[in-house]
């Protein structure tokens, strides 16, 4: 039998460690709550600090899209908006867009290593910065701080370590 006729299932990379596709609901939702708590730290409002909730939403949208719902991303966004006094709904829209675009790419991303995933996820990690800049421009604040774009780059750098941590 040729390699082509075996299909994609036989060529899927072997997961030598714990496969996150079999994670329990407690682990999935517990890591989401923990990453939301990390985003509530005072340091998380600095522009040079990645959003751990975005990283976790992206990770679980790739590995368990059946457990990550848009209302869940929206609810975490409203909870995040209530803390720093941001425009109500700003993070909710951002998290819903992040989950949507990640789920569009989830099949392709599940085949890649975490380093290759981080390169492919660059546009998704920049969605919060782009939306924040558009919002600042619409409310008459100019284009906002350009340092906010460092969060996307830091998310790319932290992605392999975050994948390793959540896959345990």
């Amino acid at each position: 039998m040729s390699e082509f006729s075996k299909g994609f299932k036989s060529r899927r990379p072997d997961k030598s460690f714990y496969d996150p596709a079999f994670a329990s609901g407690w682990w999935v939702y517990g890591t989401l709550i923990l990453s939301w708590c990390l985003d509530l730290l005072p340091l998380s409002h600095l522009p040079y600090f990645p959003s751990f909730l975005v990283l976790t939403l992206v990770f679980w949208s790739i590995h368990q899209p059946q457990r990550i719902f848009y209302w869940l991303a929206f609810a975490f966004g409203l909870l995040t908006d209530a803390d720093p006094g941001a425009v109500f709904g700003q993070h909710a829209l951002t998290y819903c867009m992040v989950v949507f675009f990640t789920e569009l790419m989830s099949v392709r991303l599940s085949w890649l290593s975490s380093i290759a995933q981080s390169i492919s996820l660059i546009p998704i990690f920049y969605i919060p910065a782009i939306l924040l800049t558009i919002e600042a421009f619409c409310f008459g604040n100019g284009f906002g701080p350009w340092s906010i774009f460092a969060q996307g780059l830091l998310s790319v750098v932290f992605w392999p370590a975050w994948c390793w941590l959540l896959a345990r």
Side-chain angles (χ1 to χ4, degrees):
M1 185 185 296
S2 70
E3 191 68 28
F4 180 74
S5 63
K6 289 181 184 176
F8 289 110
K9 202 170 208 173
S10 66
R11 288 186 272 150
R12 185 158 189 204
D14 180 35
K15 305 279 186 184
S16 59
F17 58 91
Y18 175 73
D19 191 1
F22 299 111
S24 70
W26 290 103
W27 178 247
V28 173
Y29 299 126
T31 55
L32 283 169
I33 291 170
L34 181 67
S35 62
W36 174 67
C37 290
L38 285 173
D39 277 355
L40 293 180
L41 292 174
L43 291 176
S44 66
H45 302 298
L46 297 175
Y48 302 108
F49 198 81
S51 174
F52 292 110
L53 186 56
V54 169
L55 289 169
T56 308
L57 281 170
V58 168
F59 180 83
W60 291 122
S61 294
I62 293 170
H63 296 288
Q64 289 216 351
Q66 71 275 10
R67 290 188 193 254
I68 302 299
F69 306 105
Y70 294 112
W71 64 264
L72 184 67
F74 191 80
F76 273 115
L78 291 179
L79 289 172
T80 304
D81 286 334
D83 176 50
V87 175
F88 206 58
Q90 170 192 351
H91 287 93
L93 172 68
T94 301
Y95 295 161
C96 286
M97 287 183 68
V98 163
V99 168
F100 174 74
F101 286 117
T102 305
E103 286 182 356
L104 280 178
M105 299 171 43
S106 67
V107 174
R108 182 180 62 141
L109 289 171
S110 65
W111 285 72
L112 301 174
S113 68
S114 61
I115 294 173
Q117 283 178 356
S118 66
I119 302 299
S120 298
L121 288 171
I122 288 174
I124 290 176
F125 289 142
Y126 276 106
I127 287 174
I130 291 169
L131 287 179
L132 184 66
T133 304
I134 290 171
E135 176 209 319
F137 182 73
C138 289
F139 288 128
N141 297 337
F143 281 105
W146 290 103
S147 59
I148 197 72
F149 286 95
Q151 277 188 342
L153 182 63
L154 283 175
S155 296
V156 169
V157 171
F158 275 101
W159 179 254
W162 198 248
C163 285
W164 179 82
L165 184 69
L166 289 180
R168 293 290 151 201

